[in-house]
């Protein structure tokens, strides 16, 4: 059981660690050599240009800047919310509002709880009469456990529970209303985007006499004749993408060894081909990687032809475009077929939000995948009970001493005991949770979700349930079992519920240590960015050769909603549960919300580059889980009061969860449709305004390549690389240039013809008012018969689209 001294040791270690991290950040961020590590967002947005003089200087010699080590704080607060939305998107702005919501809820709650409940709890004195049965510390005297069973003081706790619940619901209602308004306003003022006109269609039925593209074209021309514009088929190019990534890794190693040889030309780099370079045959690394890349190029070319020629590579998924937002909204929000499992439509994610790998998963296997992953998550939750129980054993040394007295000489050392109880449990739990978000993200990908935003939301859901069961309930149950082990063995069974009811609030000390490790030192470590800093300088040292390589070495990352949202919701849960039970925990949570708000605001402005924009689609989950935290706090308080003979006050608590559920149902019906559906009225207004302002807008051209599969973009990049390679080789020798002038001109003319034929529309007149859509593949293979290069030029994708004028 952690004492005040143990908490003091933990607070000292974590505050010192946070201060060291902030001090290092203040020094490192002003060094020119680290500019791309701490300001990558500004480079990507074009608001910060490379200072070559500063890059050569590497170290900042202006001593005045070192004394302004807190200058990042006003810089993070200076940007208004409107500017922040324009700079980083609505997702980032709404994410920050979760921290301000925490401050708005818990600051008044903390003031009232400290002024009202702490004096009531301290004057109870019941723990002094239970000294022989239950272990406790001085902190536990500030909790509800110190109130005498059957006391009328519980009416005060009951009143505070109602007050805190009403205040929380009031703030949730205001915030839900504000976020819903921000979302609708953001969508209304958003510039024209491809996803506003596009619907994703899944589980397209196979038609024996038609290809997938022809079946889609026929279906939508028949059922949406007035607004259907076109479609974009989806190809299973996952194997091709893996080969390209493998080639990129090999190319990085080749660049590294070539750069190493350029720096030390007297010796060519050599190494072994076996595991980690310790076994296998000795080879010249440059020749070895060139040979492997050449072999891989052949496999890539073969796989490219297979994707384009094999009809089975076309998946029963398509991106269907419409000539108006209204038409897309009608299609996305209605059932298309008599069979509810076919022709499933939904709003298409924005192009950068699409997770292309999962589009190749057959639709019928999705249910099986989700079922298997649900079983895996269930098993993972209980598997993690083992390390959680171990962590709790560190936090409850007195209970172990009574069961295993031979450990007492080591545990009773004052410094060791304070460190073990005050700091190590929270750190151990943080380390056990470190790899979990990555594992849960892999599970979500296996389930088959087709957008990055949905993947992060599903990962957040899994992580939230894990945090609820293992971190919250598991810590309480495991802690109670260790703590009260002796009482379970010797007390009569009738006393066990009373012992547990008194012991549950005592876990507040463990959660205080966890908050300090995760919410104080952990947040300070987030702004320091140790891992990206090290990786960037390693890449800069061994791989970077050009300015473009230096830009690619930047790792801005994103907010990581799948990991951060559940962690935030855990803090809401702890605050709401312990607001009435152990109010002394609330100041720790307030410090977390305030400090994390500053840090993440700075990171969003200067560092994070969000991979997608979902217009705050995650907010309904945030609201629902705070409501769940309220209900858990009610159940916890009900269980405590029922074990403390509060017969008159406990029944009055029954109405509180019922009122909370009614409030949640009202908010869900009132605000959630704004996050699930797009109003037809809004769609029509935007269409009318756009037609009035841009009457000659050609949507067919605008939407032509919006959802073109990345494989075709890779083809274009390969064409450009081949053309650039030819140009470089030509420039090497003026004599070679004169000798091969005829071949070079013919080669360039071939590339120009291919480029002009990559993606285009053919308009043909029709006798009826119907759209005729024809999706064809044409491949042009041209051979260069020069002695410089003699390999096949890449095939090209041709897109035909016939519309009546």
């Amino acid at each position: 059981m952690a004492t005040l001294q143990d908490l003091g040791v933990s607070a000292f270690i974590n505050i010192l660690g946070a201060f060291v991290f902030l001090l290092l950040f203040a020094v490192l961020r002003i060094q020119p050599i680290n500019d791309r590590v701490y300001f990558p967002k500004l480079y990507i947005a074009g608001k910060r240009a490379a200072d070559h003089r500063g890059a050569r200087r590497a170290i900042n010699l202006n001593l005045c800047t070192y004394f302004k080590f807190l200058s990042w704080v006003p810089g993070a607060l200076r940007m208004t919310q409107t500017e922040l939305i324009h700079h980083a998107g609505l997702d980032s702005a709404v994410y920050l509002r979760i921290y301000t919501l925490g401050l708005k809820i818990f600051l008044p709650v903390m003031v009232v709880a400290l002024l009202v409940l702490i004096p009531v709890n301290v004057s109870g004195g019941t723990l002094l009469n239970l000294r022989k049965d239950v272990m406790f510390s001085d902190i536990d005297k500030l909790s509800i456990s110190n109130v005498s069973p059957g006391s009328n003081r519980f009416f005060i706790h009951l009143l505070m529970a109602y007050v805190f619940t009403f205040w929380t619901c009031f703030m949730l209602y205001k915030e839900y209303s504000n976020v819903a308004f921000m979302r609708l306003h953001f969508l209304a003022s958003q510039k024209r985007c491809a996803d506003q006109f596009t619907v994703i269609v899944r589980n397209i039925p196979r038609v024996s006499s038609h290809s997938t593209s022809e079946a889609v074209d026929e279906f939508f021309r028949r059922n949406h004749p007035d607004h259907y514009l076109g479609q974009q088929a989806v190809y299973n190019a996952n194997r091709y993408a893996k080969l390209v990534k493998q080639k990129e890794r090999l190319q990085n190693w080749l660049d590294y060894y070539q750069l190493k040889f350029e720096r030390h030309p007297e010796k060519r780099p050599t190494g072994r081909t076996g595991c980690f370079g310790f076994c296998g045959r000795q080879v010249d690394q440059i020749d070895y990687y060139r040979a492997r890349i050449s072999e891989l190029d052949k496999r890539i070319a073969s796989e490219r032809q297979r994707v384009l020629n094999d009809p089975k590579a076309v998946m029963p998924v398509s991106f269907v475009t419409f000539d108006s937002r209204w038409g897309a909204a009608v299609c996305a929000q209605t059932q298309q077929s008599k069979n509810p499992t076919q022709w499933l439509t939904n709003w298409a994610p924005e192009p950068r939000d699409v997770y292309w790998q999962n589009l190749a998963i057959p639709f019928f296997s999705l249910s099986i995948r989700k079922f298997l992953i649900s079983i895996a998550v269930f098993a993972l939750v209980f598997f993690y009970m083992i390390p959680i129980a171990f962590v709790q054993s560190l936090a409850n040394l007195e209970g172990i001493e009574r069961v295993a007295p031979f450990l007492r000489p080591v545990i009773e050392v004052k410094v060791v005991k304070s460190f073990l109880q005050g700091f190590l449990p929270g750190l151990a739990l943080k380390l056990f949770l470190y790899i979990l978000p990555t594992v849960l993200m892999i599970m979500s990908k296996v389930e088959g979700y087709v957008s990055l935003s949905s993947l992060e939301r599903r990962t957040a859901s899994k992580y939230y349930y894990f945090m609820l069961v293992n971190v919250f309930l598991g810590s309480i149950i495991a802690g109670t079992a260790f703590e009260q082990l002796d009482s379970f063995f010797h007390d009569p069974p009738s006393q066990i519920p009373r012992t547990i009811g008194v012991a549950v609030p005592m876990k507040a000390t463990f959660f205080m240590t966890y908050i300090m490790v995760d919410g104080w030192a952990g947040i300070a470590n987030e702004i320091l960015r140790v891992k990206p800093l090290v990786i960037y300088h390693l890449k800069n040292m061994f791989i970077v050769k050009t300015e473009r390589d230096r830009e690619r070495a930047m790792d801005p990352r994103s907010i990581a909603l799948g990991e951060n949202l559940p962690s935030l919701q855990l803090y809401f849960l702890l605050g709401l549960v312990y607001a009435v039970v152990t109010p002394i925990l609330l100041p720790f949570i307030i410090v977390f919300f305030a400090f994390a708000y500053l840090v993440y605001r700075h990171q969003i402005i200067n560092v994070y580059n969000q991979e997608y924009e979902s217009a705050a689609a995650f907010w309904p989950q945030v609201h629902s889980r705070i409501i769940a935290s309220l209900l858990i706090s009610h159940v916890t308080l009900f269980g405590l009061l029922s074990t403390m003979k509060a017969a008159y006050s406990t029944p009055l608590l029954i109405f509180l969860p019922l009122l909370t559920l009614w409030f949640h149902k009202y908010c869900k019906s009132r605000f959630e449709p704004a996050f699930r559906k797009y109003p037809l009225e809004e769609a029509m207004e935007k269409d009318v305004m756009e037609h009035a302002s841009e009457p000659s807008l050609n949507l067919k051209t605008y939407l032509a390549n919006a959802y073109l599969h990345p494989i075709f973009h890779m083809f274009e990049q390969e064409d450009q690389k081949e053309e650039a390679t030819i140009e470089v080789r030509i420039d090497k020798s003026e004599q070679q240039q004169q000798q091969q002038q005829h071949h070079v001109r013919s080669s360039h003319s071939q590339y120009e013809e291919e480029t002009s034929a990559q993606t285009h529309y053919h308009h043909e007149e029709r006798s009826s008012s119907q759209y005729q859509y024809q999706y064809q593949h044409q491949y042009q293979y041209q051979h260069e018969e020069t002695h410089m290069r003699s390999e096949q030029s890449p095939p090209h994708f041709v897109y035909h689209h016939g519309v009546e004028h």
Side-chain angles (χ1 to χ4, degrees):
M1 181 71 61
T3 63
L4 282 174
Q5 181 180 357
D6 299 334
L7 282 180
V9 171
S10 177
F12 173 77
I13 294 175
N14 285 288
I15 292 174
L16 180 62
F19 179 78
V20 171
F21 289 154
L22 291 176
L23 191 60
L24 287 174
F25 165 72
V27 174
L28 293 175
R29 69 184 286 269
I30 61 177
Q31 308 305 321
I33 196 173
N34 299 325
D35 210 44
R36 293 181 183 270
V37 178
Y38 294 108
F39 302 97
K41 173 70 173 179
L42 302 184
Y43 278 95
I44 294 173
K47 298 180 179 180
R48 201 178 187 97
D51 185 0
H52 299 287
R53 292 179 305 171
R56 289 195 297 267
R57 189 171 63 241
I59 304 299
N60 185 2
L61 302 179
N62 186 359
L63 297 179
C64 296
T65 57
Y66 288 90
F67 293 100
K68 301 177 181 179
F69 64 94
L70 289 178
S71 61
W72 64 272
V73 176
L77 298 175
R78 190 174 298 119
M79 187 176 288
T80 64
Q81 180 173 271
T82 303
E83 295 171 340
L84 187 66
I85 294 174
H86 180 74
H87 175 73
L90 185 63
D91 283 343
S92 300
V94 172
Y95 173 75
L96 289 176
R97 291 185 68 94
I98 303 176
Y99 292 97
T100 59
L101 176 63
L103 292 174
K104 292 175 183 177
I105 290 175
F106 290 115
L107 269 175
V109 169
M110 181 189 69
V111 173
V112 174
L114 294 181
L115 294 179
V116 177
L117 292 180
I118 292 294
V120 173
N121 294 337
V122 170
S123 59
T126 188
L127 289 177
L128 297 176
N129 300 324
L130 299 174
R131 184 179 295 274
K132 296 181 180 180
D133 298 324
V134 179
M135 297 179 305
F136 64 93
S137 67
D138 292 336
I139 296 177
D140 298 320
K141 296 177 183 179
L142 306 177
S143 71
I144 195 174
S145 300
N146 199 38
V147 179
S148 302
S151 174
N152 290 331
R153 296 169 184 262
F154 289 121
F155 281 103
I156 300 178
H157 295 84
L158 181 66
L159 176 62
M160 291 296 102
Y162 272 90
V163 171
F164 296 163
T165 300
F166 288 160
W167 173 252
T168 302
C169 290
F170 173 71
M171 295 308 303
L172 282 175
Y173 178 84
K174 288 188 61 178
E175 197 65 24
Y176 213 152
S177 176
N178 290 335
V179 173
F181 173 79
M182 290 171 62
R183 174 182 168 85
L184 293 176
H185 182 267
F186 178 81
L187 294 176
S189 59
Q190 193 177 27
K191 296 181 179 179
R192 182 174 57 252
C193 301
D195 54 289
Q196 298 172 356
F197 302 89
T198 309
V199 172
I200 184 172
V201 185
R202 307 193 69 183
N203 204 25
I204 300 170
R206 298 284 185 181
V207 181
S208 58
S209 59
H210 294 77
S211 66
T212 300
S213 298
E214 292 171 344
V216 172
D217 176 60
E218 181 180 349
F219 180 85
F220 282 94
R221 281 195 290 111
R222 183 176 64 251
N223 295 287
H224 298 269
D226 297 328
H227 297 283
Y228 171 62
L229 192 62
Q231 64 150 319
Q232 178 67 65
V234 175
Y235 292 79
N236 184 359
N238 292 347
R239 189 185 304 173
Y240 178 87
K242 290 180 181 178
L243 292 175
V244 171
K245 289 183 179 179
Q246 185 178 351
K247 179 183 176 181
E248 289 178 354
R249 289 195 294 268
L250 295 177
Q251 187 64 48
N252 286 338
W253 280 110
L254 178 61
D255 292 342
Y256 165 70
Y257 285 116
Q258 286 179 334
L259 185 61
K260 184 177 181 180
F261 179 63
E262 290 175 5
R263 293 174 178 174
H264 305 283
E266 69 278 359
K267 182 180 179 182
R268 290 181 66 86
T270 59
R272 297 187 180 274
T273 60
C275 180
F276 299 106
F278 293 109
C279 57
R281 59 189 180 89
Q282 190 83 8
V283 296
D284 183 293
Q285 296 285 24
I286 295 178
D287 295 339
Y288 172 72
Y289 280 103
R290 281 177 177 170
R292 288 193 61 183
I293 291 174
S294 177
E295 180 183 353
L296 198 59
D297 282 336
K298 299 177 182 178
R299 294 175 59 190
I300 290 175
S302 175
E303 180 64 20
R304 176 191 308 174
Q305 295 177 17
R306 187 197 68 81
V307 171
L308 294 175
N309 291 325
D310 188 2
K312 294 182 180 179
V314 182
M315 303 307 299
V317 182
S318 183
F319 290 99
V320 177
T321 57
F322 295 82
D323 63 359
S324 66
R325 297 172 182 83
W326 189 91
V330 170
C331 180
Q333 298 169 177
T334 55
Q335 182 175 320
Q336 303 301 311
S337 172
K338 297 177 182 178
N339 187 343
T341 63
Q342 294 180 348
W343 297 103
L344 303 178
T345 58
N346 205 343
W347 282 108
E350 60 173 333
R352 59 177 179 165
D353 190 20
V354 178
Y355 189 69
W356 293 95
Q357 290 88 327
N358 281 358
L359 289 175
I361 298 175
F363 183 81
F364 69 87
S365 68
L366 293 180
S367 299
I368 300 174
R369 286 169 172 262
K370 292 178 181 178
F371 175 73
L372 295 177
I373 291 299
S374 298
I375 296 176
V377 171
F378 182 81
L380 182 65
V381 168
F382 281 90
F383 168 77
Y384 257 78
M385 281 291 185
I386 299 173
I388 294 297
F390 171 74
V391 169
Q392 289 305 315
S393 70
L394 297 177
N396 302 282
L397 301 181
E398 289 87 349
I400 295 181
E401 283 183 3
R402 300 179 68 175
V403 179
F406 60 89
L407 296 176
R408 183 172 299 175
V410 177
I411 294 175
E412 285 300 323
V413 177
K414 192 172 182 180
V415 177
V416 174
K417 186 175 182 179
S418 296
F419 177 78
L420 291 178
Q421 290 191 325
F423 179 72
L424 189 60
L427 178 61
L429 181 58
K430 179 69 176 176
L431 293 177
F432 279 124
L433 297 177
Y434 181 75
I435 196 176
L436 187 63
T438 303
V439 174
L440 296 178
M441 174 59 80
I442 294 174
M443 289 183 171
S444 298
K445 291 179 179 179
V446 173
E447 284 184 298
Y449 294 98
V450 298
S451 66
L452 297 175
S453 55
S454 58
L455 283 174
E456 287 207 322
R457 289 197 295 272
R458 292 306 303 169
T459 302
S461 297
K462 296 180 181 66
Y463 198 22
Y464 169 75
Y465 295 130
F466 182 91
M467 300 282 276
L468 174 63
V469 175
N470 275 13
V471 178
F472 181 70
L473 297 178
S475 296
I476 289 176
I477 295 172
T480 301
F482 275 103
E483 227 164 73
Q484 314 305 336
L485 196 57
D486 187 69
S487 298
F488 290 161
F489 287 152
H490 298 92
D491 289 350
S494 60
Q495 295 297 317
I496 292 178
R498 174 175 172 271
T499 304
I500 294 177
V502 175
V504 167
M506 298 179 183
K507 293 311 300 174
T509 54
F510 166 75
F511 289 119
M512 290 177 191
T513 62
Y514 178 76
I515 292 171
M516 286 187 285
V517 172
D518 180 70
W520 296 5
I523 295 298
N525 181 59
E526 174 67 25
I527 200 173
L528 182 58
R529 308 196 76 218
V530 177
K531 183 179 176 180
L533 178 68
V534 173
I535 292 177
Y536 173 78
H537 285 299
L538 288 176
K539 289 181 177 179
N540 204 26
M541 184 182 303
F542 297 112
I543 298 177
V544 171
K545 294 187 294 183
T546 65
E547 192 68 23
R548 183 178 179 182
D549 293 337
R550 188 169 288 106
E551 291 178 0
R552 294 178 62 184
M554 290 191 304
D555 184 17
R557 301 187 180 182
S558 60
I559 299 176
L561 294 176
E563 178 181 357
N564 289 334
L565 285 181
S567 299
L568 264 173
Q569 289 149 6
L570 175 65
Y571 286 102
F572 277 97
L573 175 62
L574 294 177
L576 293 172
V577 168
Y578 283 99
V580 178
V581 175
T582 310
I584 196 62
L585 181 137
L586 292 176
F588 294 84
I589 291 181
I590 293 295
V591 172
F592 160 75
F593 278 116
F595 184 41
Y597 174 75
L598 288 176
V599 168
Y600 278 104
R601 208 173 202 276
H602 173 273
Q603 299 296 85
I604 285 172
I605 294 173
N606 299 294
V607 179
Y608 297 148
N609 185 41
Q610 199 66 2
E611 296 177 307
Y612 59 86
E613 177 57 60
S614 68
F618 57 84
W619 186 260
Q621 289 184 340
V622 174
H623 176 88
S624 299
R625 285 165 192 162
I626 296 177
I627 292 293
S629 300
L630 273 176
L631 294 174
I632 294 172
S633 70
H634 300 156
V635 173
T636 303
L637 184 60
F638 186 86
L640 286 173
L641 295 180
S642 64
T643 60
M644 301 185 76
K645 301 178 181 179
Y648 295 103
S649 57
T650 302
L652 299 177
L653 194 61
I654 296 176
F655 301 101
L656 202 51
L658 297 178
L659 293 173
T660 303
L661 288 173
W662 174 84
F663 168 77
H664 176 57
K665 184 178 180 180
Y666 171 77
C667 287
K668 189 172 183 178
S669 62
R670 173 67 177 83
F671 299 115
E672 191 167 327
F675 295 84
R676 299 288 179 257
K677 299 178 182 179
Y678 186 54
L680 294 180
E681 179 185 17
E682 185 72 28
M684 181 60 74
E685 288 180 1
K686 289 205 70 173
D687 288 335
V688 171
M689 291 176 59
E690 187 171 77
H691 288 314
S693 60
E694 299 180 71
S696 60
L697 174 65
N698 189 346
L699 275 177
K700 295 186 294 295
T701 304
Y702 176 74
L703 299 173
N705 295 331
Y707 286 92
L708 188 66
H709 196 284
I711 184 175
F712 299 110
H713 294 299
M714 293 177 185
F715 292 172
E716 294 175 3
Q717 292 173 3
E718 290 295 326
D719 294 342
Q720 294 173 1
K721 288 180 181 178
E722 291 178 4
E723 187 172 352
T725 303
I726 294 176
E727 291 177 353
V728 170
R729 293 183 179 181
I730 291 172
D731 291 339
K732 282 184 177 180
S733 172
E734 185 177 352
Q735 183 178 1
Q736 262 189 340
Q737 183 179 13
Q738 295 173 354
Q739 292 175 353
Q740 300 172 359
Q741 186 175 8
H742 173 71
H743 299 287
V744 170
R745 287 177 179 174
S746 62
S747 174
H748 277 287
S749 64
Q750 289 174 2
Y751 278 108
E752 290 174 358
E753 291 174 3
E754 292 170 0
T755 304
S756 64
Q758 288 192 7
T759 305
H760 61 272
Y761 291 89
H762 291 296
H763 303 288
E764 301 177 2
E765 295 185 358
R766 305 296 178 190
S767 58
S768 62
S769 59
Q770 293 181 342
Y771 289 96
Q772 182 172 5
Y773 188 92
Q774 202 174 24
Y775 204 87
Q776 299 178 352
H777 300 278
Q778 294 183 356
Y779 313 104
Q780 298 178 354
Y781 298 94
Q782 300 178 348
H783 296 271
E784 296 182 37
E785 297 181 354
T786 65
H787 64 276
M788 293 169 50
R789 246 180 117 78
S790 60
E791 65 181 40
Q792 191 178 32
S793 62
H796 294 286
F797 174 77
V798 183
Y799 188 93
H800 294 280
H801 188 189
V803 181
E804 180 189 4
H805 293 282

